[in-house]
Amino acid sequence: MKTLKIYLLAMALVSAGGCKDFLDVEPITSVTETNYYKTPADAYKALVGCYDGLQTVWAEGMSFPVASEVMSDNCFGGGGASDSYNYQMIDEFDKLRSPSDQNNFGPNWVAYYKAIYRCNVLISKMEQIEWGADPTLRNTYESEARFLRAYLYFDLVRLFGNIPLLTAPSADNLPQAAPEEVYKVIAEDLKFASENLPATAYSAQAVANHGRVTKFAAEALLGRVFLYYTGYYGKSDLAGVVSKAEVLAYLENVISAGGYSLVSNFANLWPSSLTAYEGEDNKETVFAIKYTYTSDYNGNTDGNHWMVMFGMREQFVYPYGNGWGFGTVNPKLYNAYAATDTRRAASIIAVVPENVGFTSQAKQREYSGFYVEKYAPLVDEAGNSVAVSKGAVNFMIGQFQDYVSIRYSDVLLMAAELGSPNAQTYFDEVRRRAYQDAFTPLPVTQDNIMKERRLEFAFEGIRYWDLLRRGVNAAAQEIAENTTLLSGGQNGQKVILASKIVETAGLQQIPYTQITLSNGVLKQNAGW
């Protein structure tokens, strides 16, 4: 790919931006491959660069968490009344909704492959580093780099299905690999990390290391990858690398040895609970992408740039900050929660039921009366952005809430789904927290688990992939929509055709710039 030639050769020297705790290191400058990668300290700085690569993949373009919700039945495209229709294009799987938007994920494609390149460079230099007497350090750093590479590829292969696969530093113009080849690398990387990272339980993890990959994060991600791959592609194991029994054993190990547990009150998982917030890296966080508020326009890209997309359109109402109004919530999701389910109020800003006082409907496209709360920007009682009050440049790039990618409740539900002998116990544990004193048990069935997953993980970038792994046709029927929404203050029809989702196999458009730069080596996905 010419994009690789243009953007990745420059990454031979790995640079590391700042992040919280472990990622607070100075950038690497004035080094070459001939005088670098000699010591464990060199490897550490390069590893920080790998984490930094993951941290920045959603700084521009369309973020994976927001896109995942828009593609699902949880959210509509939304946005401003006069904005481009690019979010409607991905929401409806229809390129004709915004024909000029041919590179929605263009910046993300480049950023993902930059990050993968960083991981590949570090992995390729393991042999030349003088590790000294401690062989475990090499295994730890290699495991972390391989986990990050697997995480990056898992996002890409789900979004696009057909992607180039690079497992060594390269600027070759490669054709797309078969998805099974990509999943084989993902599985091998995660298995290596699961078997070579130390089994340090949550309570024993140094606070300064929060945000780093653990053995338990690798085991949990293996579960997620297994369920998606076997469901979407109709396979019985994970690319011939990991069996169902092995994946379940990994998940059971997270449960029995990881030291994680559920936060007692679901609402306290999220900053909008204010003083009751359990904080980042709480006992339910298995893996999170770390952010801080020091992003600027001078090369420091360490903030949560995508969260502002979920904010209410151009209006703040304490404690909710303003944003761009993308991903307006489908009322069907709000109605799917029982009134006794504590997750509803913690997940969704319900304008009318909660008397929120939102009055900017005329500025909003696809207004539904509901916004995302879990990842809403926040303001203080005086209306000041919390991020700016902490020192952020502005509310747009200065949001600092971590993206909690894997929670312990997900591990419990995945283990239940895979047939754990303790399936009912795990299922009840998640639901009991949600309903508190109103809890009544339900049998642990596949349908009940999937319904529960929707309610538990709304707006966490999970629902769409849960739908797809039950089959594209089934997912298309769930996502299909024909309703009336307010756009610019006027009623309009919102139509999502199941046939479009089937036509595209639920995949997104490969950026056309990449196809052009590859001289046609890359092929566009069906329907795009």
Side-chain angles (χ1 to χ4, degrees):
M1 252 182 328
K2 287 192 176 178
T3 292
L4 292 172
K5 293 178 183 177
I6 292 169
Y7 292 100
L8 297 187
L9 286 177
M11 297 310 302
L13 309 184
V14 181
S15 64
C19 190
K20 301 173 189 172
D21 299 327
F22 151 68
L23 294 189
D24 284 331
V25 232
E26 289 299 312
I28 300 165
T29 58
S30 303
V31 294
T32 68
E33 288 192 71
T34 57
N35 66 12
Y36 202 62
Y37 301 107
K38 297 290 187 183
T39 69
D42 295 339
Y44 177 80
K45 291 176 182 177
L47 179 61
V48 172
C50 296
Y51 278 94
D52 186 67
L54 174 62
Q55 184 190 55
T56 60
V57 290
W58 307 323
E60 298 180 70
M62 285 190 172
S63 75
F64 188 89
V66 175
S68 296
E69 293 304 320
V70 169
M71 291 185 292
S72 79
D73 55 346
N74 284 348
C75 294
F76 301 114
S82 58
D83 284 345
S84 159
Y85 284 85
N86 57 338
Y87 276 83
Q88 283 64 40
M89 177 178 166
I90 70 163
D91 185 19
E92 299 168 25
F93 297 83
D94 187 354
K95 64 183 180 181
L96 296 181
R97 285 292 274 137
S98 192
S100 63
D101 286 306
Q102 301 298 308
N103 294 286
N104 285 322
F105 293 98
N108 311 101
W109 180 283
V110 172
Y112 271 99
Y113 276 105
K114 280 185 179 181
I116 289 167
Y117 186 89
R118 295 182 183 194
C119 296
N120 284 339
V121 169
L122 178 55
I123 293 165
S124 73
K125 300 299 180 182
M126 288 291 162
E127 291 295 336
Q128 75 181 48
I129 295 168
E130 299 167 2
W131 293 102
D134 185 3
T136 62
L137 189 60
R138 170 185 170 161
N139 286 340
T140 297
Y141 286 6
E142 183 174 352
S143 294
E144 289 180 79
R146 291 182 69 170
F147 173 99
L148 295 171
R149 181 171 70 178
Y151 191 103
L152 293 159
Y153 269 130
F154 187 42
D155 280 3
L156 284 172
V157 76
R158 281 183 292 171
L159 270 175
F160 304 112
N162 307 287
I163 59 173
L165 175 64
L166 299 95
T167 56
S170 173
D172 291 342
N173 187 12
L174 298 178
Q176 289 135 302
E180 185 172 1
E181 295 176 35
V182 180
Y183 278 99
K184 186 174 187 292
V185 170
I186 293 170
E188 290 171 344
D189 281 351
L190 293 177
K191 186 173 183 180
F192 182 91
S194 297
E195 294 174 352
N196 287 281
L197 283 166
T200 307
Y202 170 77
S203 61
Q205 294 168 15
V207 173
N209 284 336
H210 284 165
R212 292 184 71 170
V213 174
T214 66
K215 171 185 179 67
F216 307 111
E219 291 177 327
L221 187 55
L222 260 173
R224 182 175 291 176
V225 174
F226 177 89
L227 284 168
Y228 184 77
Y229 176 76
T230 55
Y232 184 80
Y233 293 100
K235 304 291 186 179
S236 60
D237 62 24
L238 180 48
V241 177
V242 184
S243 69
K244 178 180 178 180
E246 289 173 314
V247 169
L248 179 56
Y250 283 131
L251 294 173
E252 295 283 19
N253 186 61
V254 179
I255 295 167
S256 63
Y260 302 98
S261 59
L262 298 182
V263 167
S264 60
N265 187 326
F266 183 85
N268 297 348
L269 285 166
W270 313 105
S272 60
S273 64
L274 304 178
T275 58
Y277 178 40
E278 291 278 351
E280 298 171 348
D281 309 309
N282 59 63
K283 62 186 180 181
E284 194 166 335
T285 301
V286 179
F287 182 69
I289 297 177
K290 307 291 290 178
Y291 295 111
T292 188
Y293 51 82
T294 53
S295 267
D296 58 32
Y297 297 105
N298 299 312
N300 296 309
T301 308
D302 41 30
N304 185 330
H305 291 199
W306 53 267
M307 208 168 87
V308 70
M309 305 301 282
F310 279 141
M312 296 187 297
R313 184 74 191 190
E314 298 185 47
Q315 182 181 340
F316 64 84
V317 180
Y318 174 78
Y320 311 119
N322 60 301
W324 306 137
F326 291 92
T328 51
V329 177
N330 192 326
K332 290 179 180 177
L333 174 59
Y334 182 83
N335 294 329
Y337 288 95
T340 52
D341 191 335
T342 62
R343 295 172 297 194
R344 185 175 73 177
S347 302
I348 301 173
I349 301 169
V351 173
V352 173
E354 297 177 22
N355 293 315
V356 171
F358 180 75
T359 58
S360 295
Q361 288 87 344
K363 299 178 180 180
Q364 174 73 62
R365 177 180 294 154
E366 297 180 343
Y367 175 75
S368 64
F370 302 95
Y371 288 95
V372 172
E373 180 169 340
K374 285 182 179 178
Y375 287 98
L378 298 178
V379 295
D380 61 25
E381 291 184 84
N384 301 308
S385 165
V386 171
V388 172
S389 296
K390 284 184 172 290
V393 169
N394 56 45
F395 75 95
M396 295 177 289
I397 65 172
Q399 299 299 327
F400 56 90
Q401 183 179 336
D402 292 347
Y403 173 55
V404 182
S405 175
I406 306 174
R407 290 197 284 116
Y408 180 64
S409 58
D410 195 4
V411 177
L412 292 173
L413 292 179
M414 287 191 293
E417 186 175 348
L418 287 170
S420 168
N422 301 311
Q424 189 67 56
T425 300
Y426 297 159
F427 186 58
D428 288 349
E429 187 175 349
V430 173
R431 296 188 67 254
R432 185 174 284 108
R433 192 257 302 267
Y435 291 94
Q436 300 286 316
D437 293 340
F439 169 76
T440 55
L442 286 176
V444 58
T445 65
Q446 178 73 18
D447 283 345
N448 283 341
I449 288 173
M450 296 306 287
K451 290 175 183 176
E452 205 61 37
R453 290 181 63 83
R454 184 187 190 191
L455 304 177
E456 178 73 15
F457 305 120
F459 319 124
E460 296 178 48
I462 292 175
R463 170 64 173 175
Y464 180 64
W465 313 108
D466 276 353
L467 287 173
L468 275 190
R469 66 184 176 85
R470 301 203 76 182
V472 173
N473 288 319
Q477 294 303 317
E478 289 286 340
I479 297 168
E481 186 67 75
N482 191 337
T483 190
T484 302
L485 298 170
L486 278 178
S487 290
Q490 302 296 316
N491 281 329
Q493 284 300 112
K494 173 67 174 181
V495 178
I496 302 174
L497 298 176
S499 60
K500 287 293 184 181
I501 301 167
V502 173
E503 181 184 0
T504 59
L507 302 175
Q508 278 298 317
Q509 182 187 60
I510 293 172
Y512 266 96
T513 298
Q514 298 300 318
I515 293 174
T516 301
L517 288 170
S518 75
N519 289 324
V521 171
L522 297 184
K523 307 302 179 186
Q524 187 56 269
N525 285 327
W528 293 107

